[in-house]
Amino acid sequence: MDLNSEVYKAVDKIPQRYWESLNCPSNIYYSPEFLRAFELSNTDIDFNYIFILKNDEAVAFANTQIVTVGVETITKNIKMSSKIRQIVNSMFCNNSIKVLFCGNVFLSGEYGTFLKDGEPKIETFKAIAKAVKKLYRCKRLHTIFVKDFEDESLYITDHLKSFDYASMHVEPNMIISLKAEWQSFEDYTEALKSKYRVKANRADTKSNHLDAKIFTEEDIICHKDGLQALYQNTIDNADFNAQILNLDTYIHLKNTFKDKFIVKGYFLESKLVGFLSAMQNDTHLDAHFIGIDYSKNKEYAIYPRILNDYVRLGIKTKSTQINLGRTASEIKSTLGAQPKTLTCYCKHKHYLLNQILKPFIKNVQIKSFKEHRPFK
């Protein structure tokens, strides 16, 4: 099968016929409008869009970004002895490293590569791997990270191992499956066991003093600095974050996707103390970034209220599932979210260093958590 690749540096340079051939923009995360919002607002990232062509028709797509990540940011969140951690850090001189992400660095899930229906998936995915190899050979970078694949895709993506990648599990997405009979939040809480229902209702009671508001585009513009500061709080509190999103992105997303993109602000005595963001993608509601004033979080249950409100939004939008994303897996499981395993692939650009690092990558252990079964 004769396949070629083309790389574009900007969404607006991509021929419209490529999108039409792939028939992928029905999924918001593969639409040029969604990708453009991130490109316009995050100018410190080197975006590259790979298309695989057969007879001049697009048959696959990959979204890549080159970002700079501190080595210690990575190693401090991997289970390894302090001695090994020192060795790995010193291999990179404790510096920042340039990483080519294949996948969307700002999303948790399988949103980085798209293979056209009806095409041989393994061959077209291998063509993507070859195009990524060509791209990183002509860029000054250290590591390639291909993310996030669900178990159903591994028969395709495990072919990356023949390109000298090592696979690793990362924290799972936490997914709530919504039942059609849940027409209100009360219907949902009625399905919970008593102690979990009490927990959900307590979060609402403690957060009663908060004024919540769905933001318009004008609200996002008005509160942009406050949103960015609260988002930074959650980044500082997180175990790992590869890149900080410029929330100008949200202005573009709201302008483009209207009611499908949701930002909700929480105010205490007129001061913004929290927010959630979400995207309605067909029948799925996906949680995006949140922001919290942690000095007020315990007293006013801001985070538990945000989680409750994701459930409310899922029911209101008649979604079949809510993806609450990674992190804080245990508390999300108290709402009925179940883990969906994600696999990533990593390799160092230089052969010898890659052989040294592969055993570490293969032995990465993700944090375990207590999984609750809250439904009756």
Side-chain angles (χ1 to χ4, degrees):
M1 186 165 62
D2 191 22
L3 298 174
N4 302 309
S5 64
E6 287 182 2
V7 178
Y8 293 88
K9 299 281 294 175
V11 169
D12 290 340
K13 301 287 186 188
I14 299 166
Q16 180 61 30
R17 64 188 177 87
Y18 286 4
W19 297 115
E20 291 166 359
S21 172
L22 288 175
N23 194 28
C24 64
S26 56
N27 182 324
I28 278 173
Y29 301 130
Y30 295 114
S31 68
E33 294 82 9
F34 183 83
L35 297 169
R36 187 183 295 112
F38 287 82
E39 182 189 300
L40 290 172
S41 304
N42 300 275
T43 53
D44 53 335
I45 296 177
D46 182 3
F47 290 88
N48 293 274
Y49 309 96
I50 297 170
F51 283 83
I52 304 302
L53 307 179
K54 183 172 81 172
N55 300 327
D56 205 34
E57 282 206 0
V59 293
F61 164 74
N63 180 24
T64 76
Q65 308 94 52
I66 297 174
V67 302
T68 303
V69 185
V71 173
E72 289 182 350
T73 304
I74 300 169
T75 58
K76 76 177 181 182
N77 295 295
I78 296 175
K79 284 186 181 176
M80 58 173 76
S81 73
S82 56
K83 190 170 183 182
I84 292 172
R85 185 175 288 110
Q86 272 184 317
I87 292 168
V88 175
N89 286 347
S90 63
M91 282 169 65
F92 293 96
C93 307
N94 294 305
N95 288 329
S96 296
I97 60 172
K98 271 195 162 185
V99 183
L100 171 65
F101 283 90
C102 183
N104 194 317
V105 75
F106 295 116
L107 296 179
S108 174
E110 201 170 307
Y111 306 121
T113 55
F114 185 91
L115 308 178
K116 185 178 179 180
D117 285 344
E119 297 295 329
K121 294 190 182 302
I122 290 169
E123 285 86 344
T124 48
F125 189 78
K126 281 183 174 180
I128 288 174
K130 288 174 185 173
V132 169
K133 185 176 183 179
K134 197 186 297 182
L135 182 61
Y136 73 66
R137 274 183 169 167
C138 62
K139 298 282 186 182
R140 293 187 64 185
L141 49 87
H142 302 87
T143 306
I144 304 90
F145 199 81
V146 187
K147 65 186 292 282
D148 293 314
F149 297 101
E150 297 171 5
D151 288 350
E152 296 80 3
S153 298
L154 298 188
Y155 80 96
I156 302 169
T157 61
D158 269 350
H159 286 273
L160 284 171
K161 292 174 182 176
S162 66
F163 290 83
D164 220 14
Y165 286 82
S167 67
M168 60 189 283
H169 281 146
V170 293
E171 282 190 278
N173 270 338
M174 298 299 292
I175 309 289
I176 299 179
S177 297
L178 297 175
K179 294 187 176 178
E181 61 261 31
W182 295 343
Q183 296 295 303
S184 67
F185 188 71
E186 289 67 32
D187 291 341
Y188 156 80
T189 56
E190 271 302 307
L192 296 172
K193 294 173 186 171
S194 175
K195 78 170 187 176
Y196 297 102
R197 183 165 60 253
V198 168
K199 184 179 170 70
N201 290 336
R202 190 188 305 125
D204 281 350
T205 302
K206 285 183 75 174
S207 62
N208 252 343
H209 292 284
L210 301 178
D211 293 317
K213 180 186 180 185
I214 297 288
F215 277 10
T216 63
E217 184 186 347
E218 290 71 26
D219 291 326
I220 298 172
I221 293 168
C222 176
H223 294 286
K224 194 255 172 177
D225 290 344
L227 292 168
Q228 192 78 51
L230 290 171
Y231 163 63
Q232 186 65 50
N233 284 350
T234 62
I235 294 302
D236 294 341
N237 219 47
D239 287 336
F240 174 75
N241 198 75
Q243 189 69 19
I244 294 169
L245 180 70
N246 184 324
L247 292 191
D248 281 344
T249 309
Y250 282 7
I251 299 168
H252 292 293
L253 290 175
K254 190 67 179 173
N255 177 267
T256 304
F257 295 104
K258 311 301 182 195
D259 291 344
K260 287 186 183 298
F261 181 65
I262 302 157
V263 178
K264 187 171 189 176
Y266 299 86
F267 294 85
L268 183 64
E269 296 172 355
S270 301
K271 187 193 175 196
L272 187 66
V273 293
F275 77 89
L276 66 76
S277 60
M279 179 68 84
Q280 190 183 358
N281 187 24
D282 197 19
T283 62
H284 294 177
L285 182 79
D286 297 324
H288 284 216
F289 291 114
I290 64 167
I292 296 171
D293 180 343
Y294 285 98
S295 70
K296 304 287 192 296
N297 185 45
K298 192 171 182 181
E299 185 178 355
Y300 297 101
I302 301 169
Y303 183 56
R305 169 64 180 277
I306 284 172
L307 292 177
N308 281 358
D309 282 356
Y310 274 127
V311 176
R312 287 187 173 93
L313 285 170
I315 293 169
K316 185 181 178 184
T317 56
K318 301 191 185 308
S319 300
T320 58
Q321 73 165 47
I322 306 166
N323 179 359
L324 292 175
R326 290 199 273 255
T327 73
S329 298
E330 183 175 345
I331 188 173
K332 289 171 182 175
S333 80
T334 66
L335 291 149
Q338 295 183 311
K340 189 155 202 177
T341 306
L342 294 173
T343 298
C344 295
Y345 300 84
C346 186
K347 76 178 280 190
H348 196 283
K349 183 177 178 179
H350 297 292
Y351 175 79
L352 281 176
L353 282 175
N354 193 47
Q355 302 315 304
I356 295 168
L357 286 172
K358 273 170 76 173
F360 296 129
I361 296 165
K362 286 176 182 173
N363 290 309
V364 166
Q365 300 287 314
I366 60 170
K367 291 177 180 176
S368 59
F369 68 95
K370 181 183 176 183
E371 192 176 340
H372 295 258
R373 304 289 180 186
F375 293 116
K376 292 174 183 173

